[in-house]
């Protein structure tokens, strides 16, 4: 992660086959344990829930859910957004820039 090196950042959707990566990140990043509803909501948000990779290492995630308002409108709620401490400040949370 030295200065001057090209940064390889990529995003991937969360699916059943990689949901454990999101669970492991959440354990490392946040002082709470999330229940099954959190993860089912994150999966239901489809393309809005993503894992972030730095040189093919999973280092961050954004997990969202849809909320239905009383007027029938649907809004997107960001449940969690986090990046492992050694990878913060590299622009991962704002990718793509």
């Amino acid at each position: 992660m030295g200065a001057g090196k090209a940064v390889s950042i990529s995003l991937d959707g969360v699916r059943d086959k990689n949901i454990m990566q999101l669970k492991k990140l959440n354990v490392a990043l946040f002082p709470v344990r999330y229940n099954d509803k959190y993860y089912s909501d994150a999966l239901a948000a489809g393309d809005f829930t993503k894992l972030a990779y730095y040189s093919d290492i999973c280092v961050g995630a954004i997990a969202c859910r849809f909320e239905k308002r009383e007027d029938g409108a649907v809004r997107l709620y960001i449940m969690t957004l986090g990046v492992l401490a050694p990878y913060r400040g590299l622009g991962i949370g704002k990718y793509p820039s």
Side-chain angles (χ1 to χ4, degrees), residues 25-60:
L25 277 171
N26 283 348
V27 168
L29 291 169
F30 305 114
V32 297
R33 298 296 173 254
Y34 294 99
N35 59 26
D36 290 339
K37 182 169 179 0
Y38 167 96
Y39 293 102
S40 63
D41 287 349
L43 285 169
D47 285 339
F48 294 103
T49 296
K50 298 281 188 184
L51 296 171
Y53 294 87
Y54 180 91
S55 298
D56 295 326
I57 300 167
C58 188
V59 298

Side-chain angles (χ1 to χ4, degrees), residues 1 6-25 29 49-62 81-84 86-88 90-96:
M1 294 185 306
V7 177
S8 174
I9 299 170
S10 62
L11 300 176
D12 189 24
V14 175
R15 298 174 295 286
D16 287 331
K17 71 176 192 171
N18 64 5
I19 192 78
M20 284 306 296
Q21 289 184 331
L22 178 60
K23 290 180 179 184
K24 288 179 182 181
L25 277 171
L29 291 169
T49 296
K50 298 281 188 184
L51 296 171
Y53 294 87
Y54 180 91
S55 298
D56 295 326
I57 300 167
C58 188
V59 298
I62 181 170
L81 172 64
V83 175
L84 295 173
Y87 299 91
R88 293 177 191 158
L90 299 175
I92 294 167
K94 65 180 183 178
Y95 179 83

